[in-house]
Amino acid sequence: MTEQRIPRIDAAALLARDPATMAGVAEAATGVGFMTVHNTPISEAAAQKVLAVYRAFFALPAARKAAYDMARTGSNRGWGAPGSEQVDPDANPDYKQVFDCGLELPTGDPLTALSSYAPNLWPAEPKGFATTLRAYYAQATAFSLDLLCAIADAVGEDGEYFRDQFDRPMALLRGNYYPERPAWAGEKDFGIATHTDYGCLTLLATDGAPGLEVRKRGGGWIAVSAPPGEFVINFGEMLEMWTNGIVKATPHRVVGTQAERISVPLFFNPNHDANVAPLGSGKVINARAHLEARFAETYVHLQTG
């Protein structure tokens, strides 16, 4: 059996539909379900700036972050304290901290009544936090759409079909802060426990620290990381459904190490009314219903039982 690996892909070659690069992407998307990309439209400086503002926010005292605690909302906007998420019901709540923001719609837009388009909660500090994240969100969502269309082409789907499904995406930008693994942590304690992502594509920037592990087909784990300016890409449940299982949503986790770690995933999710059932199947799987059901299972403050 061939040893599974995480392919490293030239993003510019992929967006240009270079045949050899497309073949490598098809292998990644239909096999291990992860890849890394370099030579992207997002500069290392832009990635470093985003990592820095998240690092500064997470360094604030808990009392100051609590003013933006998403536990007081009916959505997932703002700060999530340690223990605010439980991605695996058989594990303990994750010990990481998070900060979530999403698409900003005009005041009065009827979609703002939906939790998946809830208003963002912007902290007053650190300076430039909202400005930096808004700029990165715009750049990251634009790149993710081009990337998704190219990946769809690579696996034999019509990439242009997907473009219209993301003009008001339920895309969620997150900062994750993983402290060093606590001394008290046991076998059911994780920075984030084993899970698959819920949407279509995840564009993950990291500070380069190790920690992310990808489950191999057949068992075992592969460590994956990328330096600032490169990105880890993986695929979510919606894209696996949408492509009738061609693209794989692969389980992954962060156990935690003796080092702190910052990661910044953009969870690239489609419009609320997109039908993510297999193309041509005649079935209907509403994107918003799938996403909100998974959020309700994950966020402790949204769990009902």
Side-chain angles (χ1 to χ4, degrees):
M1 181 177 176
T2 303
E3 177 64 22
Q4 293 176 39
R5 61 182 184 87
I6 308 296
R8 183 172 181 263
I9 300 295
D10 184 319
L14 172 59
L15 297 185
R17 306 302 196 270
D18 169 70
T21 305
M22 295 278 277
V25 166
E27 181 182 350
T30 62
V32 71
F34 270 75
M35 62 189 191
T36 66
V37 294
H38 65 282
N39 194 20
T40 81
I42 302 174
S43 69
E44 179 183 348
Q48 291 278 26
K49 188 174 182 180
V50 169
L51 289 162
V53 296
Y54 276 123
R55 187 174 289 110
F57 173 78
F58 288 123
L60 294 173
R64 300 232 287 274
K65 290 180 285 193
Y68 309 98
D69 192 337
M70 69 173 69
R72 300 180 307 165
T73 75
S75 64
N76 54 344
R77 298 292 188 272
W79 178 58
S84 60
E85 275 198 336
Q86 187 176 15
V87 298
D88 179 355
D90 294 325
N92 293 328
D94 305 328
Y95 62 73
K96 69 182 185 306
Q97 297 178 44
V98 305
F99 187 95
D100 290 347
C101 64
L103 182 68
E104 293 188 303
L105 296 172
T107 302
D109 189 306
L111 286 182
T112 58
L114 304 180
S115 62
S116 46
Y117 295 103
N120 290 320
L121 298 179
W122 293 121
E125 53 184 332
K127 183 179 180 181
F129 186 83
T131 302
T132 298
L133 294 194
R134 284 182 174 123
Y136 182 79
Y137 186 94
Q139 195 173 23
T141 51
F143 174 47
S144 293
L145 180 55
D146 289 341
L147 200 59
L148 177 65
C149 292
I151 291 163
D153 285 340
V155 300
E157 300 284 356
D158 176 9
E160 284 304 305
Y161 169 83
F162 292 91
R163 197 166 288 279
D164 291 343
Q165 310 297 317
F166 290 84
D167 56 357
R168 304 186 102 185
M170 298 181 292
L172 189 74
L173 181 65
R174 158 170 292 185
N176 287 316
Y177 171 67
Y178 297 97
E180 63 180 61
R181 184 168 173 81
W184 49 257
E187 62 180 16
K188 289 191 173 185
D189 294 298
F190 296 86
I192 187 167
T194 303
H195 67 289
T196 51
D197 290 349
Y198 308 151
C200 283
L201 177 149
T202 302
L203 178 77
L204 178 72
T206 82
D207 61 4
L212 178 61
E213 297 178 328
V214 176
R215 183 182 285 165
K216 296 180 184 179
R217 306 292 168 206
W221 298 90
I222 312 169
V224 58
S225 63
E230 299 190 18
F231 298 87
V232 178
I233 306 295
N234 66 283
F235 311 102
E237 296 162 359
M238 285 191 206
L239 194 59
E240 184 170 286
M241 291 186 292
W242 224 337
T243 61
N244 201 25
I246 294 173
V247 174
K248 303 302 182 187
T250 298
H252 49 286
R253 68 183 186 182
V254 175
V255 177
T257 69
Q258 297 311 303
E260 296 180 338
R261 179 173 177 266
I262 299 278
S263 73
V264 182
L266 175 79
F267 300 111
F268 194 52
N269 307 316
N271 298 350
H272 73 290
D273 55 356
N275 178 14
V276 298
L279 293 173
S281 68
K283 299 178 181 178
V284 175
I285 302 174
N286 177 263
R288 176 185 160 223
H290 174 78
L291 194 63
E292 291 189 354
R294 297 295 274 127
F295 284 162
E297 293 168 352
T298 300
Y299 289 88
V300 172
H301 72 281
L302 298 178
Q303 292 175 358
T304 56

